[in-house]
Amino acid sequence: MPLVLILGSHVAGSRVGGTLASLALAQSPMKIDPVHVPTTLLGRHPGWGAPGGGPVSPDLFAGMLEGIAANGLFALVDGVLTDYFASAEQVQIAARAIDAVKTANPKAMILVDPVLGDAPGGLYVGQGVADALGEYLVPRADFLTPNLWELGYLTQTAPKDLLQIHHAAMALGRPSLISSVEKDGEIGGLLVDGTRAWLSTHPKTLTPPKGTGDLMATMFLAHVIDGQPAQQAMALALAGVSYAVQRAQDWGAQELPIVAAGYKAWRAEPLALTELG
């Protein structure tokens, strides 16, 4: 049974971050076992208002990882998924944990979702966190999954069309799946691996629930661990996201219905792929 170490937020009443990843992975056809080490403990997504709770201290975060390592679990980790960090210290601790996982199992896949901000609000983590992500985690990633705004922030560019997005992603120096990419009235992802790029899109929803990027990253990593080529993993992940968003719209759900829709989301037919270069 595959195992994924999740380093990210626990949000009790919202389906986002590490909470979403844990629920989604447990429902996957691959039966992936999630091990979630929280970076923050919140009652709800801040988009709803005051979330309640707060950040996990660096000492507590490090201590949990030490306990997991002491049980020999790092050697069993097939993938590491990172999302939101509350402090630069947490980022540095996460980097050390990733190094330890890679030492114990060099085949483990590292997916860094560089949670920094989004349009139109911009940066919503501290500057120290943003700097630490670029310094410590981006170089350790096997795959990056920034949204379009985060891609621009990390590369100090403002990419708009597909060619500009492709060139900016190449500058990251890591295979990257860029979310929130739009073309011909649809939205989806652009997977960039060096000079090659693949696009996959689905119809837009005016007000999708929070967490679509988190779900895409989670499903993408799971399919990669399962042996799918990265471009096919993207097509499958985005199909799952599209299915979950559509069910949320049909049911009037304010959060992504990960539990109710998860089984069929994982089994959705992959979206079409277009190779751009």
Side-chain angles (χ1 to χ4, degrees), residues 5-249:
L5 176 63
I6 303 163
L7 308 177
S9 59
H10 175 78
V11 187
S14 293
R15 298 299 178 244
V16 294
T19 306
L20 177 151
S22 293
L23 291 170
L25 289 175
Q27 294 187 86
S28 70
M30 310 78 146
K31 301 299 181 186
I32 294 177
D33 197 0
V35 176
H36 181 197
V37 182
T39 56
T40 189
L41 300 171
L42 301 179
R44 61 177 179 172
H45 190 281
W48 294 116
V56 172
S57 72
D59 286 345
L60 183 57
F61 183 62
M64 290 183 70
L65 285 164
E66 288 166 7
I68 292 166
N71 242 26
L73 291 182
F74 279 4
L76 303 180
V77 169
D78 296 281
V80 178
L81 172 64
T82 78
D83 63 78
Y84 176 83
F85 290 97
S87 68
E89 291 84 357
Q90 286 181 349
V91 175
Q92 294 176 40
I93 293 164
R96 293 196 294 271
I98 288 170
D99 290 345
V101 166
K102 278 290 199 179
T103 298
N105 179 15
K107 294 182 179 180
M109 300 300 301
I110 312 301
L111 188 148
V112 173
D113 189 3
V115 177
L116 297 167
D118 203 352
L123 196 68
Y124 53 60
V125 299
Q127 189 63 55
V129 173
D131 293 343
L133 274 168
E135 180 177 356
Y136 294 102
L137 293 192
V138 169
R140 287 173 165 82
D142 292 306
F143 290 98
L144 295 165
T145 56
N147 61 38
L148 189 55
W149 185 91
E150 289 161 344
L151 172 66
Y153 182 88
L154 288 169
T155 59
Q156 294 300 291
T157 62
K160 294 181 174 60
D161 61 35
L162 292 177
L163 183 61
Q164 291 174 355
I165 296 169
H166 185 176
H167 286 165
M170 286 176 63
L172 292 173
R174 293 288 184 273
S176 300
L177 170 50
I178 315 303
S179 65
S180 63
V181 173
E182 298 187 25
K183 185 177 186 295
D184 298 333
E186 294 197 332
I187 193 166
L190 183 70
L191 178 71
V192 176
D193 189 355
T195 59
R196 302 185 73 184
W198 296 265
L199 176 71
S200 190
T201 61
H202 57 84
K204 289 179 65 175
T205 300
L206 289 178
T207 54
K210 301 293 186 183
T212 55
D214 302 329
L215 183 58
M216 182 202 73
T218 301
M219 298 184 81
F220 175 75
L221 177 60
H223 286 300
V224 168
I225 289 172
D226 194 43
Q228 295 289 345
Q231 64 270 28
Q232 183 71 1
M234 173 182 69
L236 286 162
L238 288 172
V241 172
S242 179
Y243 181 86
V245 169
Q246 187 60 54
R247 296 294 75 75
Q249 189 173 44

